[in-house]
Amino acid sequence: MAHVSRTFTVTPPPAVVIDYLKDFSNAEEWDPGTESCTRTDAGPVVVGSTWHNTSKIAGVSTELTYTLEQLSADTIVLVGRNDSATSTDTITVVPSGEGSEITYHADLDMHGLANLASPAMKLVFEKLANDTEEQLTRVLESR
């Protein structure tokens, strides 16, 4: 399993950050690996909402179905699944001065033969986490 975590601060308050991040369609703006992310259900974004995500990481495209599995005033948990992997993104947002401190944890569990690539994926994930922190900060600061 590859695991990465980043903690950083932004100027928008937690409610604004949570409201933006809970809609995973916005990943097209802040996640450098996401090529497309389309909501597959309708209505308000709530626990159980789903998205079809297409990502390209290290030149390899993959498609996952993401489900919003937890949503509270300070935590979002999104889980993406396909036959070869499960990706769990846990985002915690707490007050920090006038803004927010974001802790972003990403866990990638490869299944079957894909599990053989896990050690290499750790290196790729570290680079992607750095890029995600930079891009997410830039997007949130512009809101």
Side-chain angles (χ1 to χ4, degrees):
M1 177 182 288
H3 170 82
V4 294
S5 182
R6 298 290 184 273
T7 299
F8 53 98
T9 58
V10 295
T11 56
V16 171
V17 175
I18 290 286
D19 190 55
Y20 175 75
L21 292 177
K22 74 180 181 184
D23 183 350
F24 200 53
S25 299
N26 292 324
E28 291 178 5
E29 297 176 358
W30 59 262
D31 179 3
T34 294
E35 294 184 321
S36 69
C37 193
T38 306
R39 179 104 183 261
T40 56
D41 63 343
V45 174
V46 296
V47 169
S49 294
T50 56
W51 294 262
H52 178 83
N53 180 281
T54 302
S55 295
K56 191 173 213 174
I57 301 171
V60 178
S61 290
T62 189
E63 296 183 26
L64 292 100
T65 298
Y66 273 86
T67 303
L68 180 59
E69 296 207 349
Q70 182 181 341
L71 175 62
S72 68
D74 66 357
T75 304
I76 297 168
V77 178
L78 291 150
V79 179
R81 295 178 177 89
N82 66 18
D83 290 341
S84 60
T86 300
S87 177
T88 303
D89 296 345
T90 303
I91 306 165
T92 305
V93 183
V94 297
S96 177
E98 298 288 318
S100 303
E101 178 183 89
I102 301 171
T103 300
Y104 189 100
H105 294 280
D107 294 299
L108 179 64
D109 185 17
M110 306 293 282
H111 308 299
L113 290 176
N115 194 38
L116 296 173
S118 285
M121 287 305 296
K122 173 67 173 165
L123 296 173
V124 171
F125 246 44
E126 286 292 338
K127 165 80 169 95
L128 186 59
N130 290 337
D131 294 347
T132 299
E133 177 183 346
E134 289 175 23
Q135 196 160 320
L136 182 53
T137 299
R138 201 169 33 255
V139 167
L140 287 170
E141 292 297 336
S142 71
R143 298 194 62 75

